[in-house]
Amino acid sequence: MNSICDMLGIKYPIFQGAMAWISNHAIAAAVSEAGGLGIIAAGNAPADWLRKEIRACKEKTDKPFGVNVMLLSPYADEVARVVAEEGVKVVTTGAGNPGKYMELWKSKDMKVIPVVPSVAIAKRMEKGGADAVVAEGCESGGHIGELTTMVLVPQVAGAVNIPVIAAGGIADGRGFAAAMMLGAKGVQIGTRFLVAEECTVHEAYKERVLKATDIDTVVTGRSTGHPVRGLKNQLTRSFLQKEKEGATVDELEKLGAGALYKSAIEGDIMNGSVMSGQIAGLITKRQSAEEIIQELMKELKEVTAEKVQYITQNM
Ligand code: TUI
């Protein structure tokens, strides 16, 4: 047990990253059942969809799970209310400042854990009453900030007094151990859980992630102020070409609209957005959520012991 496990009532300090149109009750319940924190991604979905997913998750597990509120969603206000009404214990947020929902969530005794891309935003969240933060480096898939996990995590950990969870580029025990050494109290893992057996994302998406190499992701949308990392395909090529030609934010957002749904649900991995982290190249096998979590914990202990031994004997 450590502070984040005590705070949330979970066994292992492993969060399953919220992936819009991908992280539904099926993967969230499986991760929570395995001792981590499963998280349902509200993404851009309407509040009714979320309410059903929360109820389905409760049918499958009596362990704590979370919901991620994507603050750019047109449904964010309704989604924020549903999360509170349904008695969800943990809420994470992405792509903005959750300040206006803080009072509601804290009044329901929920733990609020914003995802942050910088020290300044982490400090603002702590001041606003956040219980912990997820410091997410730009190795992550999806909407990202500027800093890498390696530089972001120790700077955030040094700047706030609440627990820091590291995200971005972590998929095995080595990354897990490294994150803990940087000052994190836990990790959030997205891409590896995307290929989990319980994850219902389209098979074509899983296959694409499993085949990816270290250099297969690219960032689009820097010119729109919403940079997004995903696997290279026809969509990213057209998007980058249009950005180079100076397309307007409106034109670019039209190209991106519905693109994640197209790949994650419909399986169109050429014209859809195949969001993925840079660590995809390390992910080569399908496992259950339970196997992933057990392997992460085993490797964390092994590499930590190995390195302590190496350092004490050689330095
Ligand atoms: O949110 C994410 N990753 C995401 S969200 C998403 S869905 C999407 N749909 C349409 C457009 C864009 C995305 C796919 N991936 N990660 C967490 C994250 N949060 N990354 C960066 C931030 C962030 C940025 C600014 C958090 C806070 C913030 O604060 C700004 C402020 O107003 O203080």
Side-chain angles (χ1 to χ4, degrees), residues 18-21 43-44 68-73 93-98 114-118 120-122 124-125 134 136-137 140-146 188 224-229 253 256-257 260 273 275:
M19 298 169 278
W21 294 122
N44 278 311
N68 175 270
V69 180
M70 208 281 282
L71 296 162
L72 290 171
S73 165
T93 63
N97 185 344
V115 178
V116 300
S118 71
I121 295 175
R124 206 182 307 147
M125 298 305 162
V134 175
E136 186 191 82
S140 298
H143 181 51
I144 52 170
E146 285 291 329
Q188 174 165 286
T224 69
H226 294 141
V228 167
R229 181 180 302 285
E253 278 181 355
L260 187 57
S273 170
M275 294 183 190

Side-chain angles (χ1 to χ4, degrees), residues 15-229:
F15 292 13
Q16 161 252 312
M19 298 169 278
W21 294 122
I22 297 172
S23 308
N24 57 14
H25 72 277
I27 184 63
V31 170
S32 286
E33 269 298 292
L37 184 76
I39 301 179
I40 299 169
N44 278 311
D48 275 356
W49 175 88
L50 180 64
R51 199 186 294 277
K52 285 191 195 115
E53 289 297 317
I54 293 170
R55 291 182 180 177
C57 199
K58 285 182 193 158
E59 293 283 313
K60 287 197 159 179
T61 184
D62 54 11
K63 298 198 165 68
F65 64 90
V67 168
N68 175 270
V69 180
M70 208 281 282
L71 296 162
L72 290 171
S73 165
Y75 303 107
D77 286 353
E78 298 156 54
V79 157
R81 271 197 304 275
V82 164
V83 172
E85 282 165 17
E86 293 294 319
V88 173
K89 300 277 187 298
V90 188
V91 60
T92 67
T93 63
N97 185 344
K100 66 170 169 170
Y101 308 123
M102 217 57 159
E103 210 177 293
L104 166 68
W105 291 339
K106 297 311 295 181
S107 77
K108 300 270 183 187
D109 241 1
M110 296 161 64
K111 299 296 176 199
V112 183
I113 311 183
V115 178
V116 300
S118 71
V119 167
I121 295 175
K123 282 175 146 171
R124 206 182 307 147
M125 298 305 162
E126 180 180 43
K127 230 179 184 169
D131 297 281
V133 287
V134 175
E136 186 191 82
C138 60
E139 297 92 326
S140 298
H143 181 51
I144 52 170
E146 285 291 329
L147 299 175
T148 61
T149 302
M150 184 80 159
V151 300
L152 178 66
V153 173
Q155 294 189 79
V156 171
V160 297
N161 293 308
I162 50 179
V164 176
I165 309 303
I170 303 166
D172 69 2
R174 293 169 300 177
F176 192 167
M180 301 301 271
M181 291 301 174
L182 294 173
K185 293 288 198 296
V187 290
Q188 174 165 286
I189 292 178
T191 311
R192 186 158 177 197
F193 284 120
L194 191 152
V195 303
E197 284 155 10
E198 297 90 342
C199 181
T200 58
V201 70
H202 199 284
E203 269 304 304
Y205 201 129
K206 284 191 184 177
E207 278 301 315
R208 180 69 191 89
V209 169
L210 288 164
K211 285 199 187 108
T213 71
D214 56 344
I215 57 165
D216 278 359
T217 73
V218 69
V219 179
T220 54
R222 288 202 194 275
S223 67
T224 69
H226 294 141
V228 167
R229 181 180 302 285

